[in-house]
Amino acid sequence: MQQGLLEGLDLNTQRWMSQRFFMFFMTWGVFLPYWTGWMVSEKGITVAEASIIMSTGLVARGVSTLFAYPYFSRRMSSKTLLQVMAIGTLLSVLLYIPAESYSSLMIVTISIHIFYPTLMPALDSTASLLLMHNQLQHYGKSRSWGSIGFVVAGLILTLFISWLGDSVILWAMLLGTFVFTALSIMKTPAILAEKPNKSEDQASLKSILKTKNLLLLLVVVMLLQGGHATYYSYGYMYLQHIDTPTMMIGVILNVAVLAEIIFFSKADTMFHKWSVGKLLAFASIGATARWILVFLFPSILIFTFTQVLHALSFAMGHFAFVKWITKNISPSSIPLIQGIYSAVALSWATAAFTLLGGQLFEINPQYAFLGMIVCTLPAAVLSIYLTRKDS
């Protein structure tokens, strides 16, 4: 009786979701901007080799999020799925310690991309589920705590890198994934512990792709998010290339995330009347301006200024997609659509343009950023077309 009463006491789900976003994106703040540079400096591989390894990992990430994640999400509760992916991530990070050769780094990178990035759509799906059951009031506010976690990780890591060198990057990642794994076994909102209802109608991949405007939407977000490939993989090394003091690199990288925090904290109220097409059009235009400015002006000041545009190039695009699925996709199909988004936009497109960025970076680091407008310009045109279809 007492146990039932305790279970009946609702968690503060807004705070619970915010904590999970915060801790996951603390690890993401280590992995995303620093991991390629860490492999180059600590494992002795070239930029070209690192770009191939990371691109291969992104391909594996796409396969995992498109097929494995939706499959297991139909058979496991959200709580169990988060626990399995967290434990798999922790074990994969541990395997980086003995990995020294190109082939072993390739294998471990594929392994971590099977588990780790899947946590992102899993958390977004969890937030969408809580929204639909009126247990989460504001997605943007909780997601903004993820951005805060990213900033905190970057600022702390910058201090330790300047003191201990790039070797500390691995240990920061290991500590962060351990804490997230520990959080995953703690108390969860009751709705997340329920296994999916097998009797509920679950759309197939083929049928869901027939949803009005979905394919066009996926092409736009694929181009928009894929256009961040150079920034994600080589931004840290680019700042080193233009002689940025080590203590400043983490601060500069986190300007983008601060802009993201401000956007997500205000997005629910400021942009609730905006159409998805309009949001994506503004995101694409902002992204194009961002990469052209970095190309034209190779300076610390201009790079720092362009970081503010991350609120458009990434945050607004991601918010637009979450807004679309919340309104157009049934709860049972959300894991599948999140898997498609993660695969085509955050994985495969990013993998392809990471290779392109790596080739251009070795010619001239500025060319790697300019090359990203092959994504953002078509995304802007298609977004405007999507806006007209929505009107």
Side-chain angles (χ1 to χ4, degrees), residues 34 154-155 157-166 236 239-240 243-253 300:
Y34 295 104
L155 294 177
L157 193 56
T158 295
L159 295 175
F160 279 94
I161 289 175
S162 63
W163 177 31
L164 300 171
D166 286 349
Y236 175 60
L239 287 171
Q240 291 177 320
D243 299 321
T244 308
T246 302
M247 286 290 292
M248 287 185 62
I249 291 179
V251 176
I252 291 170
L253 290 175
I300 298 172

Side-chain angles (χ1 to χ4, degrees), residues 13 22 33 49 54 120 123 129 132 199 264 316 381:
T13 51
F22 177 84
E49 288 173 333
M54 293 302 287
M120 191 179 296
L123 287 170
L129 185 62
M132 289 179 173
S199 63
F264 280 125
M316 184 171 279
V381 173

Side-chain angles (χ1 to χ4, degrees), residues 7 10 72-82 126 129-130 133 135 188-198 200 202 335:
E7 288 296 318
D10 288 338
F72 287 110
S73 68
R74 292 194 295 267
R75 290 159 176 80
M76 296 180 180
S77 67
S78 296
K79 177 181 179 180
T80 302
L81 189 60
L82 285 171
T126 297
L129 185 62
L130 292 174
H133 286 83
Q135 294 189 30
T188 304
I191 190 66
L192 303 181
E194 296 178 5
K195 289 186 177 181
N197 186 356
K198 293 184 178 180
E200 188 176 4
Q202 296 173 342

